[in-house]
Amino acid sequence: MKHLICFLALFLVSGVGSFDLVIDEIPDEVENLIDLEIDGFPSSSKARNGRYQRSTSDWGYVGDLVEDDDKIGLYSYKVQSTITSRLANTMIQAKMVNNAKRPQHIVFDVQVPKGAFIDNFTMDVNGMTFTSHIREKSEARKMYAQAKAKGKAAGIVRSNALDMENFKTEVNVPPGTRIQFELHYHEMIRRKLSSYEHIVSVKPGRLAKHMEVDVRIIEPQGLRYVHVPNSLGDHFDGITTISKGEKKAHVSFKPTMAQQRKCPTCSSTAVDGNFVVQYDVNRETTGGELEIFNGYFIHFFAPENLDPLPKNILFVIDVSGSMWGLKMKQTIEAMKAILSELRAADQFSLIDFNHNVRCWRDNLVSATPSQVEEAKKYIQTIHPNGGTNINEALLRATFILNEAQNLGMLDPNSVSMIVLVSDGDPTVGELKLTTIQKNVKQSIKDEFSLFCLGIGFDVDYDFLQRIATDNRGMAQRIFGNQETSAQMKNFYNQVSTPLLKKIQFNYPQESVSDVTQSSFHNYFGGSEIVVAGKVDTENLQHLESIVTATAANAELVMETLRDVEELDGFMRKDKYADPEFTRKLWAYLTVNQMLAERNTAPTAALKRNITKSILQMSLDHHIVTPFTAMLIENAEKDEIMLADQPKDPRRGCCPGTLGLTPNAPNNNKGIPPWANLTAVPVSFMPEQRSPPVSSLSINRVDNDPHFIIHLPKSQRNICFNINSEPGKILNLVSDPGTGVVVNGQIVGAKKTENKKLNTYFGKIGFYFKKKGLKVEITTETITLKDGSYSITLTWADTGHIIRKQLLISVKKENNVTITVGEEMSFMVLLHRVWKHHPVNVDFLGIYIPPENQFSPETHGLIGQFASEPEVSIHHQTPGQPPEKPQAIMEVKGNKLTVTRGLQKDYRTDRVAGTEVQCWFVHNSGKGFIDGHYKDYLVPHLYSFLKKP
């Protein structure tokens, strides 16, 4: 087997996760039933000496596999989770085979919950096994670089997802190859609204001969209920089975291949979504549960027999222009519902802001029916427009709460909070995110909490999460769609019933150490606090008496912990229970707490110390964090791959919408594969050259401006030149259906040569009318305009601009890629010349894939070919010179004489270019394009083409 050529791994981990769990005996008859339902977990899911081993079970290929046109068969797709006392260990495994008679790419693409820790990945290709090791990031990259220098390493591409994290590998394998992928991760399940919810992504992408999702729950506290909502759709109604005992449960989803089909005759799978398991545990009236096992203790704390405390709540609502439309409408509807749920003992007020800040009331008012109705009327009058002044809005809110506190207007037992609802980044006032974070922290002074709702896909959620965590709150991303209102109300319900404030857990120092998260603020009904630590088993008598939890408004006395020997016997007896659950939960909590502390460390020295501690924890417990990476090697250690945690492209020097990394390589976040030709998959076949660029389906305009139109159906390239005057603007794409315009402005050379003035594109404009966004790219700068707001990068930068689900990615002195969701993408290439060159000037080239989802109304010099015309080329004759034959081309009712020649694609070589064969249409494309090229001249850089 030849060495790796390249490896594509999209691996995302961000945010702080959640957690909770426990166990107990199941009646024998139920346990037997559970064991009969499934053969148990394969050897791949059993931990041996703390590391997962690859499954060595026979693949057992029996019967026919259903294959798509690519002849790739998915023999088995398994998702297996074991939940032990709120710690979920999940394994996703896929076994595939290439039954084609040619080499093919096989993809393993899974989603992992944000906040989960990936701890193992293995891959087996025809018996060659790749296993993973966790290393300090710089060490891992050094090892990778050494292997790469010897041609023994695979490249990486990293990217971030939204609500989940992607882990994607792609390998190129010869015919007959069998390949197995296996990924392991663990997470702690948080309790929300009186329920634990375990979510696993199930997206096999094709029909599987064997498909199963298997979830086992082991809870020593006892199970109140287990529920599996029909999250995958009515198509699978009745397929899931649930077996529940007193302290254990087993959930199984095993659709047959026939049940997986979208329709009886379909070859595509209907399994595409999240599989969800919800449950809750039995609770003592005291609300606390201590579990001690293998030298660690876990303390679950969730009292619910308390009356809610009064709230002092300020709603701070973004009403800038980007909230226009559905987002504002649903925010208003959600706020009206939320206001209706305020209790009589609560006090509240409203602040709405854009570039200005307005208060509905300058002080808190009681939530009487009349005041609530007045607030609803005020909300109804909001009309979004203008910029976004987050700093001033939050400082105004903190001032109102601080003033009320200083004047003695707040109940000592009440809980004060701010709820920020925003979809954007600061564009007015203070723009530096770290300064805003510092300002708010200094103003709040740990006296109340800040909760943040980030609406939409383009919000700087990382910033909202940091500022909320820094101020005793939490953040949640709200996706801007038809469910926005429901998502907002669900989040509010999580924080609307404060039961305790400023809780301090008191553990005997003689028996515990390394306690994590022992002090909390604002415990809310339906949630749970989890504390973990190490325990000295020789001094257990100190814990066996009582543990107290003291709050500002109550003192709760915990009963004795569960009998240690009883728990120990139960855990060791159960074959599915994770014997390391207490250690893993403690590590999970500790790492996440240290990551949060690092974000708010006041000094660089303290931040360095915390970083060292996180790194050591990562290595000790074999988990990928921001300071470690996963090396994946074969047994001989002569082939190496690197799975690294991605950086958030939005975090950088500037105000949220811009992620800028001067003098650093682009991390390729969101860049479509066609624009990043250096990212070649892993190859397990005899070394081959990549396919020539000319075979790629791309429309392009480059050099003087040469148009190359690729016709996918006939697999031909048709070329023509346009010779226009400097300053003129040519329309390339005009699509009134999607509201997208692409225009290019001509620039001339410094002087004529051979009585001809060469012309090029010196400026390209993009207008996304429905988003209200304009992008202007010149040979000096890249500028995004959104109304009065604008932001600019230069070609000396490497960075990203993200706004309204539009991503602009700049690669230093090379190219700009514009990506609009999944619908379309564009690349603009920069050509630099010696600034003292007597003739030549800097210019731009543009590359557009035909797969862009334009509407049938699209036109323009390139846009008109979104609907491919019928082209016939015949009567080929030798030309002068012979290597340039001529032929007759019939197109659009015209017969044209065309010449076979070469043009250049400059994406992989901006100096010499890559030769592309095409049939050249003379006279500025006359007969091939509709009308005359002058019909495509437009007055402004963002003008739509007028209909003929």
Side-chain angles (χ1 to χ4, degrees):
M1 182 181 300
K2 297 292 183 181
H3 65 267
L4 304 179
I5 293 179
C6 202
F7 171 71
L8 182 62
L10 293 158
F11 170 31
L12 304 121
V13 185
S14 71
V16 176
S18 20
F19 29 97
D20 314 341
L21 245 43
V22 230
I23 13 190
D24 227 81
E25 294 280 341
I26 289 185
D28 290 341
E29 63 271 19
V30 177
E31 179 127 26
N32 293 336
L33 174 62
I34 291 176
D35 290 339
L36 286 172
E37 287 182 346
I38 187 167
D39 268 335
F41 289 359
S43 59
S44 61
S45 65
K46 289 291 187 180
R48 298 176 184 171
N49 299 322
R51 294 294 307 279
Y52 290 95
Q53 305 296 318
R54 181 180 60 87
S55 173
T56 56
S57 59
D58 183 16
W59 284 43
Y61 280 86
V62 180
D64 296 329
L65 291 177
V66 173
E67 303 158 349
D68 292 340
D69 293 339
D70 56 14
K71 298 294 182 181
I72 292 175
L74 177 59
Y75 173 73
S76 172
Y77 191 89
K78 296 180 180 179
V79 180
Q80 296 179 331
S81 285
T82 303
I83 303 172
T84 308
S85 245
R86 278 69 128 205
L87 177 75
N89 289 306
T90 300
M91 181 273 289
I92 303 177
Q93 180 195 80
K95 296 180 179 181
M96 307 175 78
V97 60
N98 177 16
N99 284 329
K101 295 181 179 180
R102 58 184 175 84
Q104 296 215 88
H105 297 305
I106 292 184
V107 179
F108 177 66
D109 188 357
V110 299
Q111 291 189 319
V112 177
K114 279 190 180 292
F117 287 145
I118 292 179
D119 51 22
N120 196 50
F121 173 69
T122 60
M123 183 170 69
D124 186 290
V125 185
N126 275 353
M128 175 183 279
T129 302
F130 289 78
T131 56
S132 62
H133 310 274
I134 305 297
R135 295 284 187 272
E136 190 272 329
K137 183 167 287 188
S138 61
E139 177 190 354
R141 288 177 174 174
K142 181 179 179 181
M143 294 173 67
Y144 167 75
Q146 291 171 346
K148 187 176 181 181
K150 298 176 183 178
K152 298 286 187 177
I156 60 170
V157 176
R158 296 172 294 170
S159 174
N160 275 295
L162 295 171
D163 56 339
M164 299 286 276
E165 303 160 3
N166 293 329
F167 187 99
K168 178 180 179 181
T169 64
E170 181 176 348
V171 295
N172 193 304
V173 297
T177 298
R178 295 179 179 183
I179 185 166
Q180 174 177 307
F181 303 97
E182 191 168 295
L183 178 72
H184 292 258
Y185 64 88
H186 65 266
E187 62 173 325
M188 189 172 181
I189 307 173
R190 288 285 189 189
R191 187 170 187 257
K192 297 179 181 178
L193 301 177
S194 301
S195 177
Y196 299 103
E197 187 171 75
H198 179 52
I199 300 174
V200 289
S201 176
V202 187
K203 298 183 178 183
R206 60 183 72 223
L207 294 172
K209 182 173 178 62
H210 301 286
M211 155 77 69
E212 71 176 55
V213 178
D214 196 77
V215 180
R216 293 184 182 271
I217 305 171
I218 304 165
E219 289 289 354
Q221 282 183 243
L223 289 164
R224 285 181 55 209
Y225 66 85
V226 177
H227 173 61
V228 180
N230 203 5
S231 56
L232 289 174
D234 295 338
H235 184 90
F236 301 103
D237 189 31
I239 297 178
T240 301
T241 62
I242 303 174
S243 299
K244 177 185 173 296
E246 182 184 353
K247 299 180 181 181
K248 301 178 186 179
H250 179 206
V251 176
S252 180
F253 173 72
K254 299 175 68 175
T256 64
M257 189 174 289
Q259 291 169 331
Q260 295 172 45
R261 296 178 188 272
K262 281 189 175 180
C263 66
T265 58
C266 292
S267 61
S268 55
T269 179
V271 183
D272 184 15
N274 292 330
F275 187 82
V276 179
V277 177
Q278 298 169 336
Y279 72 94
D280 198 14
V281 299
N282 298 325
R283 300 186 183 280
E284 302 291 340
T285 56
T286 55
E289 177 78 11
L290 265 166
E291 294 181 1
I292 298 176
F293 193 68
N294 277 354
Y296 294 86
F297 80 88
I298 306 294
H299 185 177
F300 301 104
F301 180 74
E304 294 191 327
N305 55 340
L306 301 171
D307 293 329
L309 301 175
K311 296 188 299 292
N312 311 302
I313 185 167
L314 267 169
F315 299 98
V316 181
I317 305 167
D318 183 349
V319 295
S320 59
S322 57
M323 287 286 288
W324 184 86
L326 182 62
K327 283 192 286 189
M328 192 74 256
K329 178 181 178 182
Q330 296 208 330
T331 297
I332 290 173
E333 292 304 311
M335 283 305 307
K336 287 164 64 177
I338 288 170
L339 289 170
S340 296
E341 295 178 8
L342 291 172
R343 297 180 178 87
D346 296 337
Q347 296 187 90
F348 78 105
S349 189
L350 302 169
I351 292 176
D352 62 289
F353 72 97
N354 45 25
H355 49 284
N356 295 316
V357 178
R358 291 165 297 279
C359 297
W360 169 64
R361 296 285 188 270
D362 290 329
N363 56 284
L364 295 168
V365 299
S366 298
T368 63
S370 60
Q371 294 283 20
V372 168
E373 286 305 310
E374 287 296 319
K376 289 180 182 179
K377 291 178 182 178
Y378 178 80
I379 287 285
Q380 198 70 47
T381 63
I382 290 175
H383 297 289
N385 63 81
T388 309
N389 194 340
I390 290 179
N391 184 70
E392 183 63 28
L394 288 177
L395 292 184
R396 182 75 62 86
T398 59
F399 173 81
I400 292 174
L401 284 174
N402 282 324
E403 185 178 47
Q405 174 86 5
N406 295 335
L407 294 175
M409 299 171 60
L410 305 183
D411 184 333
N413 287 332
S414 64
V415 172
S416 297
M417 63 181 75
I418 296 170
V419 177
L420 170 67
V421 181
S422 177
D423 81 328
D425 304 291
T427 62
V428 178
E430 179 57 60
L431 302 181
K432 192 174 182 180
L433 299 183
T434 53
T435 301
I436 297 174
Q437 189 174 345
K438 180 180 178 182
N439 291 345
V440 174
K441 176 70 173 176
Q442 289 177 344
S443 184
I444 286 181
K445 300 174 184 176
D446 282 336
E447 291 299 322
F448 39 91
S449 299
L450 171 63
F451 299 94
C452 298
L453 286 168
I455 298 182
F457 297 89
D458 52 353
V459 66
D460 191 344
Y461 180 68
D462 179 71
F463 165 65
L464 294 182
Q465 193 171 47
R466 290 200 313 273
I467 199 171
T469 304
D470 200 16
N471 293 285
R472 299 164 37 190
M474 59 182 177
Q476 182 164 317
R477 188 193 296 274
I478 303 296
F479 298 103
N481 53 32
Q482 297 297 328
E483 301 298 325
T484 296
S485 180
Q487 292 175 71
M488 288 180 62
K489 287 186 286 186
N490 181 68
F491 178 81
Y492 174 76
N493 288 337
Q494 295 178 44
V495 301
S496 62
T497 55
L499 302 181
L500 297 169
K501 57 186 291 189
K502 294 185 180 179
I503 309 159
Q504 180 69 47
F505 291 92
N506 306 306
Y507 301 104
Q509 294 183 358
E510 300 90 341
S511 53
V512 301
S513 61
D514 294 331
V515 178
T516 186
Q517 295 192 7
S518 60
S519 180
F520 295 84
H521 297 275
N522 300 342
Y523 166 71
F524 297 93
S527 62
E528 183 172 62
I529 294 173
V530 184
V531 186
K534 297 179 181 177
V535 63
D536 181 359
T537 54
E538 294 182 1
N539 291 306
L540 272 182
Q541 67 273 13
H542 295 289
L543 268 179
E544 288 178 344
S545 54
I546 60 170
V547 176
T548 60
T550 304
N553 57 304
E555 181 169 311
L556 302 178
V557 180
M558 306 298 297
E559 293 184 351
T560 50
L561 72 161
R562 182 173 300 280
D563 184 88
V564 176
E565 293 183 3
E566 177 188 338
L567 177 62
D568 186 80
F570 170 76
M571 294 299 296
R572 298 188 190 283
K573 177 181 174 182
D574 189 276
K575 63 181 178 180
Y576 296 113
D578 183 355
E580 298 292 323
F581 83 96
T582 49
R583 178 186 63 82
K584 290 179 181 178
L585 280 173
W586 172 78
Y588 187 100
L589 284 165
T590 302
V591 170
N592 277 305
Q593 178 175 295
M594 287 192 293
L595 287 170
E597 290 174 351
R598 185 181 182 277
N599 281 336
T600 59
T603 66
L606 179 57
K607 180 171 287 190
R608 284 194 298 270
N609 289 335
I610 296 173
T611 301
K612 290 179 182 178
S613 298
I614 297 172
L615 173 60
Q616 193 59 52
M617 287 284 292
S618 305
L619 297 175
D620 291 346
H621 298 275
H622 199 261
I623 52 179
V624 178
T625 66
F627 309 107
T628 54
M630 180 180 285
L631 282 172
I632 303 160
E633 302 171 303
N634 63 350
E636 292 75 24
K637 298 187 182 299
D638 60 355
E639 310 286 351
I640 190 169
M641 294 176 275
L642 183 69
D644 201 354
Q645 186 183 50
K647 295 179 180 178
D648 189 333
R650 303 167 56 83
R651 295 186 64 175
C653 71
C654 304
T657 52
L658 171 64
L660 183 62
T661 313
N663 304 317
N666 195 331
N667 73 356
N668 295 320
K669 190 270 181 197
I671 299 175
W674 65 266
N676 183 32
L677 296 182
T678 59
V680 182
V682 181
S683 179
F684 288 98
M685 51 184 287
E687 187 170 350
Q688 295 181 344
R689 293 184 178 180
S690 300
V693 175
S694 60
S695 70
L696 297 178
S697 175
I698 297 293
N699 294 321
R700 41 211 178 258
V701 189
D702 218 327
N703 218 326
D704 178 23
H706 301 308
F707 286 71
I708 308 177
I709 304 299
H710 179 80
L711 304 178
K713 294 179 182 178
S714 60
Q715 286 297 300
R716 290 190 176 99
N717 291 318
I718 310 297
C719 307
F720 58 91
N721 293 346
I722 297 291
N723 297 308
S724 189
E725 302 171 15
K728 297 293 186 181
I729 300 173
L730 288 170
N731 175 253
L732 305 179
V733 177
S734 181
D735 184 2
T738 62
V740 174
V741 164
V742 184
N743 293 321
Q745 187 170 32
I746 300 294
V747 62
K750 295 176 182 176
K751 63 180 181 180
T752 60
E753 280 190 319
N754 300 321
K755 297 182 181 181
K756 178 181 182 295
L757 180 69
N758 288 330
T759 56
Y760 313 88
F761 281 135
K763 183 184 296 184
I764 295 177
F766 297 83
Y767 180 28
F768 303 94
K769 184 176 181 181
K770 293 183 178 180
K771 294 179 179 292
L773 298 178
K774 297 177 180 178
V775 181
E776 180 180 301
I777 301 176
T778 71
T779 55
E780 301 298 329
T781 59
I782 303 96
T783 302
L784 170 72
K785 302 176 183 178
D786 184 359
S788 61
Y789 167 78
S790 68
I791 189 167
T792 299
L793 289 178
T794 71
W795 283 101
D797 299 320
T798 286
H800 305 273
I801 303 173
I802 302 174
R803 197 165 182 87
K804 297 181 180 177
Q805 302 179 46
L806 181 140
L807 167 67
I808 303 173
S809 184
V810 182
K811 188 173 182 181
K812 181 180 178 180
E813 298 294 340
N814 193 308
N815 64 66
V816 174
T817 305
I818 300 174
T819 308
V820 189
E822 300 291 332
E823 295 81 42
M824 58 185 69
S825 55
F826 309 87
M827 186 174 80
V828 175
L829 201 66
L830 173 67
H831 294 272
R832 285 270 192 243
V833 299
W834 178 45
K835 64 180 179 180
H836 298 300
H837 195 285
V839 177
N840 295 339
V841 294
D842 295 344
F843 63 94
L844 305 171
I846 182 169
Y847 295 75
I848 306 175
E851 292 81 10
N852 277 357
Q853 297 175 27
F854 297 123
S855 78
E857 304 173 61
T858 308
H859 211 266
L861 287 167
I862 293 177
Q864 64 187 286
F865 298 104
S867 299
E868 182 175 334
E870 293 290 334
V871 173
S872 172
I873 297 177
H874 51 84
H875 290 88
Q876 183 172 324
T877 58
Q880 293 295 331
E883 63 268 20
K884 292 187 176 182
Q886 292 187 335
I888 301 298
M889 181 171 77
E890 295 188 40
V891 58
K892 299 180 179 180
N894 302 315
K895 287 188 177 182
L896 312 173
T897 300
V898 293
T899 304
R900 186 75 166 177
L902 297 173
Q903 292 289 7
K904 295 290 185 72
D905 184 310
Y906 291 93
R907 283 174 296 158
T908 55
D909 186 340
R910 287 185 302 129
V911 178
T914 302
E915 291 184 340
V916 177
Q917 287 191 340
C918 66
W919 288 101
F920 185 80
V921 180
H922 303 274
N923 301 319
S924 298
K926 185 177 180 180
F928 179 60
I929 64 173
D930 294 338
H932 192 275
Y933 86 86
K934 290 185 178 180
D935 298 334
Y936 298 87
L937 295 174
V938 291
H940 304 292
L941 197 61
Y942 306 111
S943 297
F944 281 85
L945 186 67
K946 291 184 178 180
K947 293 183 179 180

